[in-house]
Amino acid sequence: MEVAGYDRARVLKAFDDAKTGVKGLVDAGVEKIPQIFVTPPDIVAQTSDTNREDFSIPVIDLEGSEKDSIVEKIRHASETWGFFQVVNHGIPVSVLDEMVCGVRRFFEQDTEVKKQFYTRDVTRKIVYNSNFDLYSSPVANWRDTFFCFMAPNPPKPEELPDACRDIQIEYSKLILSLGFRLFGLLSEALGLERSHLMDMDCAKGLTFVCHYYPACPEPELTLGASKHTDDGFLTVLLQDQIGGLQVFLENQWINVRPVPGALVVNIGDLLQLISNDKFRSVEHRVVANREGPRVSVACFFSTSLAPSTKLYGPIKELISEDNPPKYRETTVQEYVSYSYFKGLDGTSPLLHFRV
Ligand SMILES: O=C(O)CCC(=O)C(=O)O
Ligand SMILES: [Fe+2]
């Protein structure tokens, strides 16, 4: 929001140059959030009762009874909610807990060491900064992040941060095998051969996006993450027990309640595109909280981000005369860079690819 006589560009640059992110502000004891974070009240507002017991995203037990019913539950959730949580997914709780601790150690380590990772050069192996869209978005979010590509060409172990190297390597192996399993189930849920989505390279690339949402002194004035959809094929999210993630469904914000040991799975834009809108990539956001820090790890599955001319459009088996393609074909690189440079401005990048 603009305030007369206020040089937003200069304030953003000073915030960025400090390389200490939102955590740096909290450590310095701010009691009021700086203007760059102040978000219009209608955007922060809750729409209605977000704690309705009868309206929460499904929790699916991957070791549950018959496989057919798991596929059916995943199909239903992907068509209606675009989100579900999975339990009994094969990743031990001790690994989930250590991953959250590792991310926390990264953000809470010595500032001078952490600053070495601070960059906006996305060709670097580890990219730590605050608000990837700081200069393009109308408001900044109360969040710091680091990300790195873990597949198909992971950084060398010595390139990973000391604070979370071992657990990142272990978690990425387990998340890749869970991802393969989920893509098998999603393929079947689309009525395709089990290997269809994997054969399209939907799980070839894995990016870890690790968020740190410091406690916020004025949570009613800002957001942890503005509303957006995810641009890859699928996201598997690990969140701690603080909560704050919300999904926009039936015109209201629904809390994605932390379930101990569960992982949150959501359909990304590219899966909506290739499924010709059968599966939904649903808008979500993270509210700010007086309590914190909140830690989350979003694992984005996409193709390898190495330049490729391979085109992705609605899957031929899913389209017909009655269900013509709703999107033009695109390369993953074109889609992802369009989405990245657009930033979290509240509109879906999918619209740009509609025919
Ligand atoms: O922190 C969260 O719960 C969500 C993060 C998210 O939506 C994202 O990284 O795309
Ligand atoms: Fe997201």
Side-chain angles (χ1 to χ4, degrees), residues 32-61:
K32 292 199 147 304
I33 67 168
Q35 186 64 30
I36 55 171
F37 296 94
V38 175
T39 305
D42 56 319
I43 291 186
V44 182
Q46 299 290 344
T47 37
S48 63
D49 179 6
T50 48
N51 276 316
R52 275 177 50 181
E53 285 298 325
D54 58 333
F55 209 51
S56 63
I57 70 157
V59 178
I60 301 176
D61 181 350

Side-chain angles (χ1 to χ4, degrees), residues 83 211 228-230 235 237 245 266 284-285 298 300:
F83 267 79
H211 300 294
H228 66 282
T229 55
D230 291 350
T235 307
L237 177 99
L245 175 62
N266 66 289
H284 51 284
R285 69 176 188 179
F300 286 83

Side-chain angles (χ1 to χ4, degrees), residues 259-280:
V259 172
L263 290 162
V264 179
V265 181
N266 66 289
I267 306 294
D269 293 345
L270 285 167
L271 190 47
Q272 175 168 336
L273 185 148
I274 63 172
S275 74
N276 208 33
D277 282 354
K278 188 165 165 66
F279 287 173
R280 298 180 60 197

Side-chain angles (χ1 to χ4, degrees), residues 29 132 190 199 299 334:
F132 77 91
L190 286 170
D199 293 344
C299 294
E334 182 194 8

